[in-house]
Amino acid sequence: MTAVRVTTQLDEIDLDVVHRWLSEEAYWALGRSRELVERAARASVNVGALDAEGRLVGYARVVTDRATFAWVCDVFVTPSARGAGVGTLLAETIVDTVRTWGLKRTMLATADAHGVYEKVGFVPLPNPERMMVLEG
């Protein structure tokens, strides 16, 4: 893969592409509406990976108050860019960004990319028995 540039500027991230990825290919977001993708993006910190031609090849979203907590979600790398370090680049950018805020905790959930996140400092959740969820 050619050089990849990372951006946190939402106007550089093609939300139509993000919507297609999430609603059609991401097991956690299948069927998500375009309106919901945009509403979530506008309320979050967004990280996009763009190839040399400016095409989006990866995306991640960080839900945060920028003071105490962040949740990394909706991480997706297009199949043609997988294995080329795009996921790691997104994760490094997120870690570099949240560290400037001095957060107490940054969390995420993954079914299959533990190695990517471990490279940038994520560890298994201590005391997972303390965590709860309110499903909607």
Side-chain angles (χ1 to χ4, degrees), residues 2 16 19 23 34 64 85 109 120 128 131:
T2 58
D16 289 328
H19 171 251
S23 68
R34 172 64 171 76
T64 184
V120 297
M131 301 303 294

Side-chain angles (χ1 to χ4, degrees), residues 22-42:
L22 295 179
S23 68
E24 297 176 13
E25 299 181 51
Y27 67 86
W28 66 90
L30 295 175
R32 189 177 289 176
S33 72
R34 172 64 171 76
E35 185 275 329
L36 189 57
V37 168
E38 183 166 351
R39 187 164 39 118
R42 293 201 181 284

Side-chain angles (χ1 to χ4, degrees), residues 75-97:
V75 180
F76 190 91
V77 175
T78 192
S80 64
R82 291 179 189 161
V86 173
T88 300
L89 187 58
L90 290 170
E92 288 171 343
T93 301
I94 290 165
V95 167
D96 290 346
T97 301

Side-chain angles (χ1 to χ4, degrees), residues 40-55:
R42 293 201 181 284
S44 303
V45 175
N46 299 272
V47 182
L50 306 169
D51 69 11
E53 288 76 41
R55 290 182 302 245

Side-chain angles (χ1 to χ4, degrees), residues 3 7 18 29 41 52 62 65 68 76 83 96 99:
T7 183
V18 172
V62 182
D65 60 10
T68 63
F76 190 91
D96 290 346
R99 282 197 172 134

